Amino acid sequence: MEFELKYTPAQEAFRQEVTAWLAANVPDGVAVRPRTFEESYALYLKKRALGRALGVKGWLYPSGEKEYGGGGLGLDQIVVLEEETARLGLGLPPYYDSGGKMGAASIRVWGTEDQKKRFLPPIYTGAVRSWQLLTEPTAGSDLAGIKMTAIRDGDVYVFNGQKIYIGSHHGADRYWTIAVTDPKGKRHQNVSWFMIDSATPGITTQPLYMLSAQSEGETDEFGHKNIIFFDNVRVPADCLVGGENNGWKVASTHLEVEHSGQGNIRTNPVWIALLAHCRTQMRDGRPIIEDPEAREKLAEIYSRLEAVRLLSTRNFWMVYAGEKRSYHGSQTSYLRKTTNLWLTKAIHDLLGPEALTSDALYGAMGGIAEMQQRRGIVEQHPGGTTDIQRVVIARRLGVGAREPQQAGRLGEEGMARKAAVEA
Ligand SMILES: Cc1cc2nc3c(=O)[nH]c(=O)nc-3n(C[C@H](O)[C@H](O)[C@H](O)COP(=O)(O)OP(=O)(O)OC[C@H]3O[C@@H](n4cnc5c(N)ncnc54)[C@H](O)[C@@H]3O)c2cc1C
């Protein structure tokens, strides 16, 4: 069966336009792993500038509606953009923007017209970057168990509490967060979502360094998280998205996107680095790739990673086309996480001890092999652990339940596009 996408001459012409633009606008060194904080900060500034330039073209959030500053592009063009930026070791956006990705998707479904006009353009054009703030010290998998409160006081909500495992390095402009708005209310009927300005007085941030950060430069969304404290933070009431105490419905959209709805349709960058390494590095007098056992392992790695990529592409298409989803997001998230853990051992088997050090002289793939050993483990947790993905899959399939649970709403724009194509 042929799963790969085929491209028309018009789509290939768009690819030419994209590659030419990227060649002229992507600064040197954006794919190089930084080793110090200064290098990482310089890289972050370059990526933000690139994000704004992509925003001008409508290519930062190509699926966002044009009227709100997005690209309004079709699926085929989005795939081309994802593929061509991935070839340069970049994602879209080229920096960590979890609150932008999940917040924008949720606001598209649950926000008022005024909120769409206010919150979406700065995200889609790269003027702001945003983090998602969900987890608390006593509420991770059990998101409905959060304790941070946001209590209405006239025309503001007053926030008190803390969030943990948040964001990455170098700060964010906006926080997309969930809080308890009715402390006496029933579970699932007492929470609400807000898009808030991170500079609001009363917010403080404390860094949290993870197993996945070995050098100061690795302080990205896997390596450097934060604990964020809210101490009588007064947030304008019009930052509430989706209605007071209606937050569990908004959460179902947010989590559906997080489990696998947007992007991630590019080839795994670890695979690209691994293949290049095996083609160029010698073992027993020949390139590693000429060793039959290495080839067998590489073929297995490629097949597994490709299955993840194709499922991500399917999910992406389902969202875009307005197809009804069920277990699909969690299925892909589960497979991605377990495959990445398996990949750590596969790379170790293939390369031996050089996969275990990021030493400049002995570390394989410029340290990427060693980084994978740590990140494969850490990746089991964010965005719903592997256990939680299995729980969701079972519920959606109706295993052990009277009837299958529905997936969260993912927006009407897909339905509209589908209708337009069919008309
Ligand atoms: C690298 C990284 C990045 C992150 N980024 C963010 C972020 O940007 N924003 C944010 O808000 N949070 C973020 N998180 C937090 C992440 O969402 C939580 O770690 C995750 O939800 C798990 O919660 P927990 O750590 O409290 O573990 P717990 O929920 O306490 O789980 C502990 C263990 O119990 C298992 N378990 C829990 N409930 C069940 C169940 N019902 N059935 C079966 N097993 C269960 C879990 O699978 C896990 O193995 C990040 C975490 C990491 C590691």
Side-chain angles (χ1 to χ4, degrees):
M1 201 183 288
E2 175 64 84
F3 289 108
E4 274 303 336
L5 297 160
K6 300 271 185 264
Y7 299 96
T8 63
Q11 290 158 351
E12 287 301 346
F14 180 67
R15 188 186 299 281
Q16 300 285 322
E17 183 190 341
V18 171
T19 48
W21 189 91
L22 292 174
N25 290 279
V26 173
D28 286 341
V30 282
V32 175
R33 279 177 58 229
R35 292 199 172 251
T36 64
F37 182 85
E38 287 73 20
E39 282 176 15
S40 134
Y41 187 59
L43 181 62
Y44 167 71
L45 293 181
K46 278 187 194 176
K47 287 185 169 180
R48 284 297 300 271
L50 175 61
R52 285 189 286 272
L54 284 163
V56 171
K57 300 279 296 175
W59 291 355
L60 183 64
Y61 276 86
S63 68
E65 294 90 337
K66 253 194 160 129
E67 59 184 305
Y68 303 126
L73 297 188
L75 180 65
D76 45 359
Q77 291 175 311
I78 298 169
V79 169
V80 167
L81 273 168
E82 289 267 354
E83 285 176 349
E84 294 308 319
T85 45
R87 250 184 262 287
L88 304 176
L90 298 168
L92 281 177
Y95 45 83
Y96 182 67
D97 194 27
S98 58
K101 278 198 147 182
M102 262 82 75
S106 305
I107 290 167
R108 279 162 85 171
V109 178
W110 298 100
T112 61
E113 189 53 33
D114 169 63
Q115 288 176 326
K116 289 179 193 172
K117 285 191 181 129
R118 213 154 32 100
F119 292 133
L120 297 182
I123 294 172
Y124 289 165
T125 56
V128 299
R129 91 151 161 171
S130 318
W131 290 341
Q132 53 161 339
L133 279 63
L134 284 74
T135 309
E136 298 182 5
T138 55
S141 303
D142 179 22
L143 181 61
I146 55 164
K147 294 198 167 57
M148 181 165 86
T149 51
I151 306 299
R152 182 100 191 214
D153 177 19
D155 56 1
V156 296
Y157 283 88
V158 183
F159 282 66
N160 279 290
Q162 64 172 289
K163 297 284 178 183
I164 191 167
Y165 291 124
I166 303 306
S168 59
H169 49 8
H170 313 316
D173 311 288
R174 299 259 168 92
Y175 294 153
W176 169 240
T177 193
I178 180 169
V180 173
T181 35
D182 179 8
K184 292 194 180 132
K186 276 192 187 160
R187 190 175 152 87
H188 296 123
Q189 294 170 23
N190 59 349
V191 291
S192 311
W193 284 84
F194 298 83
M195 183 59 97
I196 70 184
D197 185 338
S198 66
T200 313
I203 300 178
T204 47
T205 303
Q206 181 182 308
L208 182 69
Y209 295 104
M210 313 277 283
L211 163 75
S212 38
Q214 201 185 51
S215 71
E216 282 182 80
E218 265 184 19
T219 54
D220 58 8
E221 72 272 21
F222 275 100
H224 177 156
K225 304 305 286 186
N226 302 278
I227 307 175
I228 302 190
F229 299 93
F230 290 75
D231 187 7
N232 286 319
V233 177
R234 297 175 74 79
V235 171
D238 61 3
C239 295
L240 168 84
V241 175
E244 191 173 287
N245 300 322
N246 195 39
W248 199 248
K249 286 195 181 140
V250 182
S252 69
T253 297
H254 173 109
L255 296 173
E256 194 60 33
V257 175
E258 184 166 33
H259 290 173
S260 169
Q262 294 196 331
N264 267 326
I265 57 179
R266 62 198 180 120
T267 303
N268 188 321
V270 176
W271 164 254
I272 295 173
L274 179 65
L275 189 60
H277 180 84
C278 292
R279 279 189 175 136
T280 51
Q281 297 302 305
M282 307 294 279
R283 183 189 288 167
D284 299 332
R286 59 185 177 180
I288 297 174
I289 203 164
E290 287 180 18
D291 170 355
E293 279 186 28
R295 280 182 181 201
E296 209 170 294
K297 197 57 151 178
L298 283 168
E300 190 183 0
I301 292 172
Y302 177 74
S303 308
R304 291 194 184 214
L305 294 180
E306 195 57 4
V308 175
R309 189 181 73 82
L310 289 171
L311 283 183
S312 300
T313 308
R314 176 203 63 183
N315 293 352
F316 185 65
W317 175 80
M318 287 178 89
V319 175
Y320 181 84
E323 291 290 312
K324 200 166 160 44
R325 291 201 340 179
S326 155
Y327 57 85
H328 303 82
S330 287
Q331 176 197 40
T332 310
S333 175
Y334 178 77
L335 191 67
R336 180 182 304 117
K337 284 165 186 278
T338 48
T339 301
N340 264 331
L341 189 58
W342 170 86
L343 181 63
T344 61
K345 181 162 186 315
I347 292 180
H348 186 201
D349 290 347
L350 182 61
L351 303 181
E354 62 176 358
L356 299 179
T357 174
S358 57
D359 180 277
L361 194 56
Y362 300 109
M365 299 151 59
I368 292 175
E370 186 275 337
M371 187 174 72
Q372 174 65 28
Q373 303 298 309
R374 289 173 284 120
R375 296 196 168 191
I377 300 167
V378 171
E379 208 197 344
Q380 304 303 299
H381 286 270
T385 66
T386 45
D387 297 315
I388 294 305
Q389 303 304 346
R390 281 187 294 195
V391 169
V392 175
I393 293 167
R395 286 183 181 163
R396 298 280 164 85
L397 290 173
V399 177
R402 277 210 196 108
E403 53 187 66
Q405 194 186 58
Q406 299 293 309
R409 273 178 60 194
L410 281 175
E412 310 302 334
E413 73 281 358
M415 300 305 290
R417 280 180 194 151
K418 197 177 178 203
V421 169
E422 283 168 0

